[in-house]
Amino acid sequence: MLKYPYILPELPYPYDSLEPYIDTETMHYHHDKHFQTYIDNLNKLLEPYPMLQEVPLETLLAYPNRLPFKDRVAIMNNAGGVYNHNLFFMSLTPDKTKTIPDAETAKKIIDNFGSFEEFKNKFNESAKGVFGSGWTYLAESRNNNLQIINFANQDTPLYMRVKPIILVDVWEHAYYLKYKNARADYLNNIWNVLKWQ
Ligand code: MN3
């Protein structure tokens, strides 16, 4: 669980290991620059609030109305940026054996979407439809339903009390160096390195 003062977590795999699906240069910019900036901004924003420094990241995001009004939007944006990126980089893998859902998850996907192919199409359609910058999540609700949910900017599912299963960054910085405006190609390829286990 991440907590103040936030420190950039190291990638659990080499920068070039997701090639050719995600290129090395994108991984460096995305992890070392973009992710680092959210971490630096969040630390700076929490500096004047010793009480918030004691609160875990997930709790900050789950209860936005407990945040000081003056800095609420900025804290949510940057805390969301830290949460989403931490989860995203942990959810990528060069290990092919981990890019397949386990039996229990596979069954839930078939129950909810009909087939894995159908799920993937729906997920990609949803992610293609994110207007501007944002994220697409597959999350599990309390009654075990799987939902595909789009989030704008750095919003997170934490206030919805659902369990995140996988997520994809659809900000242009996640794919533009390699894929340019072809978000759909990025989305088709990312399944090769998305970790389910
Ligand atoms: Mn990003």
Side-chain angles (χ1 to χ4, degrees):
M1 195 175 294
L2 297 181
K3 211 167 153 289
Y4 182 92
Y6 296 90
I7 296 161
L8 185 71
E10 274 187 38
L11 276 186
Y13 40 80
Y15 286 84
D16 61 359
S17 63
L18 306 179
E19 294 267 11
Y21 310 111
I22 303 180
D23 60 290
T24 311
E25 195 185 8
T26 294
M27 288 305 290
H28 275 288
Y29 272 96
H30 199 181
H31 178 268
D32 305 353
K33 308 282 185 197
H34 290 277
F35 190 8
Q36 181 74 62
T37 301
Y38 288 111
I39 288 195
D40 293 344
N41 288 344
L42 183 57
N43 284 332
K44 220 171 289 163
L45 280 160
L46 295 181
E47 229 171 64
Y49 302 111
M51 287 193 20
L52 293 183
Q53 294 170 10
E54 300 304 314
V55 178
L57 181 68
E58 282 87 347
T59 312
L60 288 179
L61 287 161
Y63 302 98
N65 55 3
R66 294 183 189 169
L67 299 173
F69 181 74
K70 180 170 84 71
D71 292 317
R72 185 177 299 163
V73 172
I75 291 173
M76 288 300 284
N77 284 341
N78 287 285
V82 172
Y83 177 84
N84 283 331
H85 284 100
N86 180 57
L87 205 55
F88 182 62
F89 287 118
M90 282 195 328
S91 308
L92 295 172
T93 179
D95 183 348
K96 285 266 168 288
T97 63
K98 292 184 174 153
T99 62
I100 300 156
D102 60 41
E104 195 193 336
T105 312
K107 187 185 176 309
K108 281 182 195 163
I109 286 172
I110 291 164
D111 289 348
N112 279 270
F113 300 100
S115 70
F116 192 75
E117 251 346 89
E118 188 70 12
F119 154 71
K120 221 162 87 172
N121 290 341
K122 282 210 172 111
F123 189 98
N124 283 3
E125 276 311 306
S126 184
K128 256 194 288 184
V130 171
F131 184 76
S133 297
W135 295 78
T136 299
Y137 269 79
L138 175 69
E140 184 168 8
S141 65
R142 275 182 179 166
N143 53 2
N144 296 325
N145 279 334
L146 298 186
Q147 288 173 274
I148 297 165
I149 320 168
N150 285 349
F151 293 95
N153 303 312
Q154 294 298 352
D155 288 352
T156 74
L158 286 169
Y159 70 93
M160 301 169 72
R161 319 285 184 266
V162 293
K163 189 178 124 201
I165 299 176
I166 52 165
L167 74 167
V168 172
D169 191 339
V170 284
W171 283 58
E172 281 188 347
H173 68 230
Y175 61 87
Y176 207 86
L177 288 177
K178 179 180 171 71
Y179 293 96
K180 308 301 182 227
N181 61 333
R183 186 188 281 185
D185 294 346
Y186 160 70
L187 291 170
N188 284 332
N189 275 345
I190 200 158
W191 298 96
N192 292 294
V193 288
L194 261 193
K195 185 162 82 180
W196 286 85
Q197 293 165 24

